[in-house]
Amino acid sequence: MNSPLRLALVGDYRSDAVAHQAIPPAVELAAASLNLPVIAEWLPTESVTSSAVLENFDAIWVVPGSPYKNDRGAFLAITYARENNVPFLGSCGGFQYAVVEYARNVMGWSDAAHAETDTEGRLVIAPLSCSLVEKTGDIVIDPDTIIARAYGKLSTHEGYHCNFGVDPDFISELADFPLRISAWDGEGDVRGIELPDHKYFVATLFQSERASLRNELSPLVVDLLKATQR
């Protein structure tokens, strides 16, 4: 029998968070669909103090729940996954932090900031004009993208729990960089990003894991686990 895959769930667990309730069954459903043994381990952000904490994991998921107790731990996990070609998924807060991490460490914007936690700097993550706390909405997916291949279609309807998203002024700055915007809402606001040349690096503002609460698969969680076999 194959050794179990080890999945790091980086975030600060809260029993009352809907996404946190959905994540364990989302992993279980995805693992069963692939016939893969998986051990998912919650890593509080305060425990992620160095890359050594992450070295024995096959995949990393920075889960919802910002602001995190230790921002540095969340950013460290994202950087480690991106630089070491470790399959990565970010949802909600994980998406927001992935955008900031990329702006700081790839684009060279050392002052890239998140409006939820920062009071100065270039706000690449800004307040949404309309709150998406416990809301759902339609998602439009660009063709020939990782997210499109995962879903097998170019639209979906997903749930959220957030008040922050990508600042529109930041989008044009990505033109000269590999990071691709691959999912949008009906008004054209960014809802998903990916790195095409990475083994698997996907982040979404929406929480695809909520599908498990309907006893349905999250295509992105399935793909995250699949990526560890490539």
Side-chain angles (χ1 to χ4, degrees), residues 168-221:
D169 293 338
F170 173 70
I171 297 170
S172 62
E173 302 291 343
L174 283 174
D176 296 327
F177 293 90
L179 188 72
R180 179 172 181 180
I181 298 170
S182 51
W184 314 77
D185 73 357
E187 284 70 51
D189 293 321
V190 178
R191 295 295 181 255
I193 58 171
E194 57 190 60
L195 278 173
D197 294 329
H198 195 280
K199 183 181 285 188
Y200 189 81
F201 191 100
V202 171
T204 64
L205 191 62
F206 57 85
Q207 299 175 345
S208 70
E209 55 269 22
R210 287 173 178 246
S212 72
L213 301 177
R214 307 185 299 273
N215 201 35
E216 297 174 5
L217 289 170
S218 159
L220 300 182
V221 178

Side-chain angles (χ1 to χ4, degrees), residues 125-184:
I125 298 297
L128 295 168
S129 57
C130 295
S131 171
L132 289 173
V133 173
E134 294 306 310
K135 300 289 180 65
T136 64
D138 292 330
I139 305 295
V140 178
I141 306 169
D142 274 2
D144 193 28
T145 59
I146 298 169
I147 295 177
R149 289 189 288 273
Y151 276 89
K153 56 186 180 181
L154 299 182
S155 64
T156 182
H157 192 84
E158 302 286 348
Y160 298 89
H161 187 97
C162 60
N163 286 309
F164 299 87
V166 176
D167 186 277
D169 293 338
F170 173 70
I171 297 170
S172 62
E173 302 291 343
L174 283 174
D176 296 327
F177 293 90
L179 188 72
R180 179 172 181 180
I181 298 170
S182 51
W184 314 77

Side-chain angles (χ1 to χ4, degrees), residues 9 41 153:
L9 303 174
E41 181 178 340
K153 56 186 180 181

Side-chain angles (χ1 to χ4, degrees), residues 46-93:
E46 291 175 320
S47 74
V48 185
T49 55
S50 74
S51 59
V53 176
L54 303 163
E55 288 174 354
N56 292 323
F57 288 95
D58 301 293
I60 294 170
W61 182 354
V62 176
V63 304
S66 64
Y68 300 105
K69 292 182 179 178
N70 176 29
D71 275 0
R72 183 178 180 277
F75 283 125
L76 193 156
I78 295 165
T79 302
Y80 177 83
R82 181 179 55 76
E83 292 183 343
N84 292 279
N85 206 29
V86 175
F88 168 81
L89 179 63
S91 51
C92 197

